[in-house]
Amino acid sequence: MTTSKKSYQERLLNVIPGGAHTYSRGFDQFPGNAPEIMVRGKGATSFDANNKAYLDYGMALRAVNIGYAQDEIDDAAIAQIKAGNNLTRASMIELEAAELLVELIDSFDMVKFTKNGSTAVSAAVKLARAYTGKDQVLRCHDHPFFSYDDWFIGSTAIQKGIPQAIIELTTSFPYNDVARLEAILSQEADKIACLVMEPCTTHEPAPSKYFEGKTFLHDVAFLCKKHNVVFILDEMITGFRWDLKGAQHYYQITPDLSTFGKAMANGYSVAAVGGKREIMSLGSIEKAGQERLFLLSTTHGAEMSGLGAFVATVNYLKQHNVIEHIWRYGRKFIAVFNECARAQGVEDFVEAGGFACSPYYLTKDANGEMSLAFRTLFAQEMVKQGVLMPWVALCYQHDEKALAQTKTALLHTFAVYKKALTSGIDAYLESDAIKPVFRQYN
């Protein structure tokens, strides 16, 4: 083990490509004064290697919706660890978790667990291809990430290492543009196996073209059914935040397949793909003579500690009305954020908005253009005030004390922001600007 005086960032980059195991945790996604490494978390607070505390709005890339190191969740996971954690046959908690999720999610007849969202969404794509006999994938290009697998990454700016034949199998459509979707499906439906999208990210689904009182999501479901395209709804972010039963319940929409992960186990590694029995059962083995589909086969896919945490998380969400709390806090957060911007005279350049359960903030330069440099400045000044806010992910442990600390940090940050708008950002920005994850060159 090294004992050199290299920085944590240097040590990370020396042994881990990119310095972390998801690019969203990379050093190029944070201001230069952000902690290089974290040691622990509790509630809505995380601690760096010097034991400095930060009010955390990153919440493990939205994977934690109750709070770090919540005793009830950890105790359930530890109980499963002590029961063996990974047995030779299917485990009791595996059955309990599967029955719970099928009961909970209205569109689920069957479910398959795995360890990350990428694997779950790619499994859904494979199911769709097997079910339809078609190869192409149609994905929403307004939604930022579905999988690290080639079928998705090949449709981004980062195509190195991906065969051209794979790149050509994925096309995209814009969110809330039913006319464009209709045009694509009318021309290419005989090739398209599935449509992959999130229910929403920052904007509400538009009113339906076909159904009074319904939404764009209902139009998508209708068009997919009309053209024999499997409708896959990715609920990695919306699941267990918009509603206990997912955004699909919130919007009263029924996909053919859907995927969940992140907040479903309060930070433990659990993801799932599920949906209609006629599609999911293609991965079954009990039907003699049926051609086999090798769906998901992972040694640790049903690791007992994670599934124990999932069951405990669902129970906690129900008992403490966690999702209702997140919506309430989010409304207050957006109001406070924008109130502070107005107080410092920068409301035309920085603002919070979006869904109260999953707010966003925008940063603009003096010309009113979206700016990563000013986003970096914002994050830099918030770090100085002990607040990590690379994005806004809320949890049950964000409370009135956290909101008060946030308000103090915002007032300071917006004061600096105003100076940078007037005098130029170079005098205030202390590191390189944050970069997009999906860029062709480092």
Side-chain angles (χ1 to χ4, degrees), residues 311-326:
V311 172
T313 295
V314 171
N315 290 335
Y316 194 99
L317 295 176
K318 291 178 179 178
Q319 292 169 8
H320 296 272
N321 296 317
V322 169
I323 294 171
E324 292 85 346
H325 169 84
I326 289 173

Side-chain angles (χ1 to χ4, degrees), residues 21-39:
H21 284 82
T22 178
Y23 286 106
S24 294
R25 286 190 172 104
F27 71 90
D28 59 351
Q29 301 302 296
F30 293 85
N33 66 334
E36 293 182 348
I37 200 164
M38 308 306 292
V39 174

Side-chain angles (χ1 to χ4, degrees), residues 125-348:
V125 168
K126 179 185 280 190
L127 280 165
R129 285 171 165 164
Y131 182 71
T132 63
K134 297 183 284 187
D135 296 331
Q136 288 191 0
V137 176
L138 180 60
R139 65 99 169 175
C140 184
H141 67 60
D142 295 308
H143 298 161
F145 187 79
F146 292 109
S147 177
Y148 56 64
D149 286 323
D150 289 356
W151 70 266
F152 171 72
I153 299 299
S155 70
T156 74
I158 310 173
Q159 298 181 343
K160 187 174 182 179
I162 303 175
Q164 186 62 34
I166 300 297
I167 293 172
E168 293 173 357
L169 286 176
T170 300
T171 55
S172 64
F173 71 97
Y175 189 72
N176 273 342
D177 191 339
V178 69
R180 178 60 181 149
L181 181 58
E182 286 174 318
I184 293 171
L185 290 174
S186 65
Q187 296 170 14
E188 303 180 40
D190 61 332
K191 303 173 185 177
I192 297 172
C194 59
L195 181 152
V196 185
M197 66 181 296
E198 295 181 62
C200 51
T201 51
T202 58
H203 297 91
E204 289 276 7
S208 169
K209 173 182 176 179
Y210 298 106
F211 309 102
E212 184 177 355
K214 302 296 185 181
T215 71
F216 173 71
L217 297 175
H218 296 86
D219 291 347
V220 172
F222 169 73
L223 290 170
C224 284
K225 185 174 182 179
K226 176 181 177 180
H227 291 285
N228 188 32
V229 171
V230 174
F231 179 21
I232 300 173
L233 206 58
D234 180 351
E235 292 228 46
M236 291 297 154
I237 291 175
T238 57
F240 300 96
R241 285 191 178 276
W242 264 246
D243 189 277
L244 186 63
K245 289 174 167 287
Q248 58 190 264
H249 183 78
Y250 183 84
Y251 289 112
Q252 292 296 293
I253 188 72
T254 304
D256 297 311
L257 298 172
S258 51
T259 56
F260 289 81
K262 288 192 182 289
M264 70 183 293
N266 196 48
Y268 284 87
S269 181
V270 181
V273 55
K276 293 181 177 179
R277 185 176 302 276
E278 63 185 296
I279 304 176
M280 291 295 298
S281 63
L282 293 175
S284 293
I285 63 173
E286 73 274 18
K287 297 180 181 178
Q290 175 178 287
E291 185 177 2
R292 287 175 67 93
L293 169 68
F294 206 81
L295 180 52
L296 282 171
S297 184
T298 58
T299 299
H300 301 288
E303 186 179 24
M304 293 159 62
S305 53
L307 295 181
F310 161 64
V311 172
T313 295
V314 171
N315 290 335
Y316 194 99
L317 295 176
K318 291 178 179 178
Q319 292 169 8
H320 296 272
N321 296 317
V322 169
I323 294 171
E324 292 85 346
H325 169 84
I326 289 173
W327 279 92
R328 284 195 303 272
Y329 186 90
R331 285 189 284 270
K332 294 178 183 178
F333 172 90
I334 292 171
V336 165
F337 190 105
N338 292 329
E339 171 193 317
C340 290
R342 287 191 297 272
Q344 301 292 37
V346 295
E347 68 272 21
D348 292 334

Side-chain angles (χ1 to χ4, degrees), residues 79-95:
Q80 293 300 325
I81 290 172
K82 291 183 175 181
N85 199 43
N86 205 336
L87 306 177
T88 304
R89 299 280 316 261
S91 68
M92 186 65 75
I93 192 64
E94 184 176 347
L95 174 60

